[in-house]
Amino acid sequence: MITVNENFLKLQAGYLFPEINRRAAAFAKAHPEASIIKMGIGDVTEPLTPAVVEAMHRAVGEMGKRDTLRGYGPEQGYAFLREAVVEHCYRNRGVSIEPDEVFISDGSKCDTGNLQEVFGLDNVVAVTDPVYPVYVDTNVMAGRTGPWDKAKGQYAGIVYMPCTAENGFVPDLPDRPVDLVYLCYPNNPTGAVATAEQLKKWVDYARENKAIILYDAAYEAFITDPDIPHSIYEVDGARDVAIEFRSFSKTAGFTGVRCAYTIVPRGLKAWRKDSSSVEIHPIWSRRHCTKFNGASYISQVGAAAVYTEQGKKQIQEVIDLYMDNAAVMCEALGKLGYAVYGGRNAPYVWIKTREGIGSWEFFDLLLQRAHVVCTPGAGFGAAGEGYVRFSAFNLPNKVKEAMERIAKL
Amino acid sequence: MITVNENFLKLQAGYLFPEINRRAAAFAKAHPEASIIKMGIGDVTEPLTPAVVEAMHRAVGEMGKRDTLRGYGPEQGYAFLREAVVEHCYRNRGVSIEPDEVFISDGSKCDTGNLQEVFGLDNVVAVTDPVYPVYVDTNVMAGRTGPWDKAKGQYAGIVYMPCTAENGFVPDLPDRPVDLVYLCYPNNPTGAVATAEQLKKWVDYARENKAIILYDAAYEAFITDPDIPHSIYEVDGARDVAIEFRSFSKTAGFTGVRCAYTIVPRGLKAWRKDSSSVEIHPIWSRRHCTKFNGASYISQVGAAAVYTEQGKKQIQEVIDLYMDNAAVMCEALGKLGYAVYGGRNAPYVWIKTREGIGSWEFFDLLLQRAHVVCTPGAGFGAAGEGYVRFSAFNLPNKVKEAMERIAKL
């Protein structure tokens, strides 16, 4: 008799964004005249830049000719892209990463979801609260948690580290031992950043406690403050204890193109039950090569074009546009008296709703009365209750209109 | 202390194709003058067809304009592609599949590797021997097997079903209960096909024993015999017990483009430990949406172009070219006295080596003396020992030259 993986049955409700889309679609159907402004899911609105488009046309052309066709590529990604990543994302900041430590993939959602597979089911997982739901849900599926505790809004067995205005949305060290720590900075959803000192504290913790940090740096391109690290490897000792995820999705408008990468440093170790150590690099490489067949050649060529002179310049203009949006939102929402966080080194603005109004209640209110879609903070965890997230990925005139509509409420 | 998933440590040697590439590269380095003909990995040699190239250029253009940019798509795939799959792959053969039962992905390797996640770890897995290594390795990683048994060349806990010339490389029903059965027809590596009667026997077995069949039909486009089913759903009752995988990789030259799909019929069930049943469709959907962010829009547009009038015609010409290669190989190797299998409804030719010569020994012999790369049958399982696989994916003149070189040995 074929049995189901009952861990999947612990999962609560729908994944956050499908639920948002469902409510927005139901409202749109009931009010076809309403012009809805979507500031919920963080999806890009600016097109691919000319350098990327040109490179991808070239790649498509190559695929249509026998002499230049590319079939199966290296599962870990083409050398041209792995080398460009090292050169333009790490060496330029004095960080030592080798091309064979770069694993190209089709997305950070996949990478952050899949990476946990190489670790034992007995590890204690720590996540921030609020948190990107994929980190938690994929550990639930794997069986690293107990059941859902409805009263707490949490899964048993996971260590939730509250991120509040008091700690600047960077968690304090946990009060009990944890093995696998998910950190995301610039943070989704709060827009907070971590300083080198804050990251150092976590790297030291991991080294002392034989823990591993899964560091999601998908939004590093939006950092404007020169003192904020773009990579956890800017902190001494991080290579031994941290795996870093990055993506072209938000950096270069690749949400529909699909390309990302993960750094697994050689030398980073986990332990067997008999206390002997084992390197993770070859294990992740084996996993990647066995369950994945490489990102599309066309996507990889497009991604490499991001690192050309023209590519860099064009990407920066798009990032600036989004960050101008974030500044507009911070100012408008601040003027309305909301406590506003993020939006300075991240494309997300995180605000506290009015006293006593829940996240989903505020979401429904904005949808129904301002026809604006935000993301309820409660969807990211119990500590997100009473907050909502606005995405800066939008057209500037839409952002301004949304702010005007909210001001009129 | 972070522990490793020790199941990964059970995995043997490298994955088959990296090992082949390693040996071929070492030989090429030592003999730079040798012109090596690669008939090992089944990678396409014909370029994308004009209809696909044109569609992908259009898609790239759309991504470069604000009004037509596509960001995150539906994780399960765009409706235009899911509907085209239903129309041109199932309805045209009288099979009832709905578009929402089609899950678009970036490859069948990923799909066949990931699908096992939704089932319990206590299930008994049955595979053919020889077998596509991904089915086995991903179950080893998940923990459904015991250690590697070196003497048998098998993992403990897996039921290996020998496929031999005697049973036409379609396995007999197992002599003990199994829960999850991997079948692949047209078969990789043997090139065998399963008749409707043979599939019916398996569907009946699954229905009677509450088992599920994971049916890999990645090579269905190469079937030439009109009596051979292209889909397991052509067999009555299969919707309740079978999940089917298909790919654009070999059908349309998409090995570097990445697009495939999986059919998970509504109504197909697995069981909880308390013997109550649960539908797999919503569980797979949740898995797919949580750990995957959709295939590239550009790849999906290219895939849809395969189903246009021009697309179908162009694809068929390429398939005919490969199947002509297969016919040349069958004839040449048959004339040399080898027992030759496959190659009539599949792009793989499977031959028995001379008595007493092992697969890897024959591989090395062909590489060193004919400069031809094949795939050692032993790499696909213990029962593949003494066989090698030749791929028909090659240029016709290379195939002819390879056959001439082998004839001279």
Side-chain angles (χ1 to χ4, degrees):
Chain A
M1 187 179 79
I2 179 95
T3 61
V4 68
N5 175 349
E6 295 198 25
N7 294 311
F8 276 81
L9 309 179
K10 298 174 190 165
L11 290 165
Q12 292 308 296
Y15 179 69
L16 174 61
F17 296 112
E19 176 62 19
I20 291 173
N21 289 338
R22 198 188 61 73
R23 292 194 191 203
F27 180 81
K29 199 174 171 189
H31 302 85
E33 77 294 350
S35 149
I36 297 176
I37 299 177
K38 295 191 175 181
M39 309 182 82
I41 190 166
D43 198 359
V44 297
T45 51
E46 291 298 299
L48 296 179
T49 61
V52 170
V53 170
E54 193 189 317
M56 288 173 72
H57 275 306
R58 177 167 47 77
V60 170
E62 286 174 21
M63 298 295 265
K65 298 202 182 74
R66 192 172 291 114
D67 292 346
T68 49
L69 163 73
R70 308 278 185 127
Y72 290 123
E75 284 96 342
Q76 302 95 331
Y78 280 98
F80 66 78
L81 183 54
R82 301 173 92 186
E83 283 161 11
V85 163
V86 164
E87 183 68 25
H88 297 279
C89 300
Y90 293 100
R91 275 194 204 134
N92 65 328
R93 300 187 66 85
V95 173
S96 166
I97 294 291
E98 294 302 317
D100 77 352
E101 298 174 322
V102 180
F103 292 83
I104 307 295
S105 80
D106 68 325
S108 280
K109 189 192 202 183
C110 319
D111 286 344
T112 56
N114 292 334
L115 211 291
Q116 48 78 30
E117 274 182 41
V118 300
F119 299 111
L121 292 181
D122 51 341
N123 289 299
V124 176
V125 172
V127 297
T128 59
D129 180 7
V131 66
Y132 177 51
V134 169
Y135 311 153
V136 174
D137 289 359
T138 55
N139 276 290
V140 174
M141 292 172 184
R144 278 191 202 85
T145 75
W148 175 250
D149 182 329
K150 201 174 171 185
K152 286 189 185 169
Q154 298 185 338
Y155 291 96
I158 287 203
V159 174
Y160 292 86
M161 306 181 293
C163 290
T164 60
E166 287 68 43
N167 61 20
F169 302 101
V170 177
D172 305 321
L173 294 176
D175 53 9
R176 59 197 134 147
V178 301
D179 307 304
L180 194 60
V181 181
Y182 289 79
L183 295 178
C184 170
Y185 292 99
N187 187 250
N188 176 14
T190 67
V193 283
T195 63
E197 292 68 34
Q198 287 168 317
L199 289 181
K200 181 75 169 69
K201 199 172 67 171
W202 273 101
V203 166
D204 290 345
Y205 172 87
R207 294 176 66 92
E208 282 156 25
N209 293 273
K210 294 186 174 171
I212 283 181
I213 298 168
L214 299 182
Y215 193 72
D216 186 346
Y219 297 97
E220 60 78 30
F222 296 88
I223 294 172
T224 55
D225 182 338
D227 291 336
I228 299 296
H230 285 236
S231 165
I232 195 166
Y233 304 120
E234 293 179 43
V235 173
D236 276 352
R239 277 186 57 95
D240 297 331
V241 293
I243 289 168
E244 182 164 290
F245 306 99
R246 290 199 184 181
S247 173
F248 295 93
S249 285
K250 310 300 164 70
T251 312
F254 271 46
T255 52
V257 175
R258 314 306 313 140
C259 200
Y261 58 93
T262 293
I263 308 295
V264 182
R266 288 187 182 276
L268 177 136
K269 291 187 178 71
W271 278 263
R272 294 188 188 84
K273 289 202 177 67
D274 69 6
S275 295
S276 62
S277 69
V278 52
E279 251 203 271
I280 290 300
H281 185 285
I283 294 180
W284 176 248
S285 187
R286 182 68 196 265
R287 193 276 174 209
H288 197 74
C289 293
T290 304
K291 289 194 177 182
F292 182 62
N293 234 332
S296 166
Y297 172 68
I298 301 153
S299 303
Q300 292 189 61
V301 169
V306 169
Y307 299 118
T308 59
E309 277 312 302
Q310 279 302 306
K312 280 196 226 181
K313 198 167 149 270
Q314 292 165 357
I315 296 300
Q316 193 55 51
E317 286 167 9
V318 175
I319 290 172
D320 290 347
L321 177 148
Y322 292 135
M323 291 309 288
D324 287 348
N325 285 344
V328 166
M329 289 153 67
C330 287
E331 198 193 335
L333 293 163
K335 269 192 189 157
L336 294 174
Y338 290 102
V340 177
Y341 305 97
R344 316 245 174 243
N345 293 292
Y348 294 120
V349 175
W350 182 248
I351 69 163
K352 186 121 193 55
T353 64
R354 304 293 187 204
E355 198 62 37
I357 299 185
S359 290
W360 280 106
E361 195 184 345
F362 192 76
F363 170 91
D364 286 333
L365 180 93
L366 279 196
L367 176 60
Q368 284 157 24
R369 301 215 2 232
H371 307 167
V372 169
V373 175
C374 64
T375 308
F380 296 102
E385 180 57 272
Y387 290 86
V388 297
R389 185 191 83 173
F390 289 93
S391 157
F393 298 108
N394 219 321
L395 306 179
N397 62 331
K398 293 258 186 190
V399 170
K400 280 171 196 133
E401 191 184 330
M403 292 303 114
E404 285 163 14
R405 289 189 199 168
I406 294 172
K408 282 186 197 148
L409 278 188
Chain B
M1 188 180 81
I2 180 94
T3 61
V4 69
N5 175 350
E6 295 198 25
N7 294 311
F8 276 81
L9 309 179
K10 298 173 190 167
L11 289 166
Q12 292 309 298
Y15 178 68
L16 175 60
F17 297 112
E19 176 61 20
I20 290 172
N21 290 338
R22 196 187 62 72
R23 293 194 190 204
F27 180 81
K29 200 175 169 188
H31 303 84
E33 76 295 350
S35 149
I36 296 176
I37 300 176
K38 295 191 176 182
M39 310 182 83
I41 190 166
D43 197 358
V44 297
T45 51
E46 291 299 297
L48 295 180
T49 62
V52 169
V53 170
E54 191 189 318
M56 289 173 72
H57 274 306
R58 177 166 49 79
V60 169
E62 286 174 20
M63 298 295 265
K65 299 204 181 73
R66 194 173 289 113
D67 292 347
T68 49
L69 163 73
R70 308 281 184 126
Y72 290 123
E75 283 96 343
Q76 302 94 333
Y78 279 99
F80 67 77
L81 183 53
R82 301 173 91 185
E83 283 161 10
V85 163
V86 164
E87 183 68 24
H88 297 280
C89 300
Y90 293 101
R91 274 196 205 130
N92 66 328
R93 300 188 66 84
V95 173
S96 166
I97 294 291
E98 295 300 317
D100 77 351
E101 297 174 323
V102 180
F103 291 83
I104 307 296
S105 80
D106 68 325
S108 279
K109 191 191 199 183
C110 320
D111 287 345
T112 56
N114 292 333
L115 211 291
Q116 48 78 28
E117 275 184 40
V118 301
F119 299 111
L121 292 181
D122 50 343
N123 290 298
V124 175
V125 171
V127 297
T128 60
D129 180 7
V131 66
Y132 178 50
V134 170
Y135 311 154
V136 174
D137 288 359
T138 54
N139 276 290
V140 174
M141 293 172 182
R144 278 192 202 87
T145 75
W148 175 251
D149 182 329
K150 202 174 170 186
K152 286 189 184 170
Q154 299 185 336
Y155 290 96
I158 286 202
V159 174
Y160 291 84
M161 305 181 293
C163 289
T164 60
E166 286 68 44
N167 61 20
F169 302 100
V170 178
D172 305 321
L173 294 177
D175 52 9
R176 59 199 137 146
V178 301
D179 306 305
L180 194 58
V181 181
Y182 290 79
L183 295 177
C184 170
Y185 292 98
N187 187 250
N188 176 12
T190 67
V193 283
T195 63
E197 292 67 36
Q198 287 169 316
L199 289 181
K200 181 77 168 69
K201 198 172 67 169
W202 274 102
V203 167
D204 290 345
Y205 173 87
R207 295 175 66 92
E208 282 156 25
N209 294 273
K210 293 186 173 170
I212 282 179
I213 298 167
L214 299 182
Y215 192 72
D216 186 345
Y219 296 96
E220 60 78 28
F222 296 89
I223 294 173
T224 53
D225 182 338
D227 291 336
I228 299 295
H230 285 237
S231 165
I232 195 167
Y233 304 121
E234 293 180 43
V235 172
D236 275 351
R239 277 185 56 96
D240 296 332
V241 292
I243 288 168
E244 183 164 290
F245 305 99
R246 290 200 185 181
S247 173
F248 295 93
S249 285
K250 309 301 165 69
T251 312
F254 270 46
T255 52
V257 175
R258 313 308 311 141
C259 201
Y261 58 93
T262 293
I263 308 294
V264 182
R266 289 188 180 275
L268 177 135
K269 292 187 180 70
W271 277 264
R272 294 188 188 84
K273 289 203 176 66
D274 69 7
S275 295
S276 61
S277 70
V278 53
E279 252 202 90
I280 290 301
H281 185 283
I283 293 179
W284 176 249
S285 187
R286 181 65 196 267
R287 193 274 173 210
H288 197 74
C289 293
T290 304
K291 288 195 177 181
F292 182 62
N293 234 331
S296 166
Y297 172 68
I298 299 152
S299 303
Q300 292 190 61
V301 169
V306 169
Y307 299 119
T308 60
E309 276 313 302
Q310 278 303 306
K312 281 195 226 182
K313 196 165 150 274
Q314 292 165 359
I315 295 302
Q316 192 56 50
E317 285 166 8
V318 176
I319 290 173
D320 290 346
L321 178 149
Y322 292 134
M323 291 310 287
D324 287 347
N325 285 344
V328 166
M329 291 153 68
C330 286
E331 197 193 335
L333 294 163
K335 268 191 192 160
L336 293 175
Y338 290 103
V340 177
Y341 306 98
R344 317 244 175 245
N345 293 290
Y348 295 119
V349 175
W350 181 249
I351 70 162
K352 188 122 193 49
T353 64
R354 305 292 186 204
E355 198 62 35
I357 300 185
S359 292
W360 281 105
E361 196 182 343
F362 192 74
F363 170 91
D364 286 333
L365 180 91
L366 279 197
L367 175 60
Q368 283 156 25
R369 302 214 1 231
H371 308 168
V372 170
V373 175
C374 63
T375 308
F380 297 101
E385 181 56 272
Y387 290 86
V388 298
R389 185 190 82 173
F390 289 93
S391 158
F393 297 109
N394 220 321
L395 305 179
N397 63 330
K398 294 256 185 193
V399 170
K400 280 171 198 132
E401 190 184 331
M403 292 304 114
E404 285 163 13
R405 288 190 200 168
I406 294 172
K408 281 185 200 150
L409 277 188

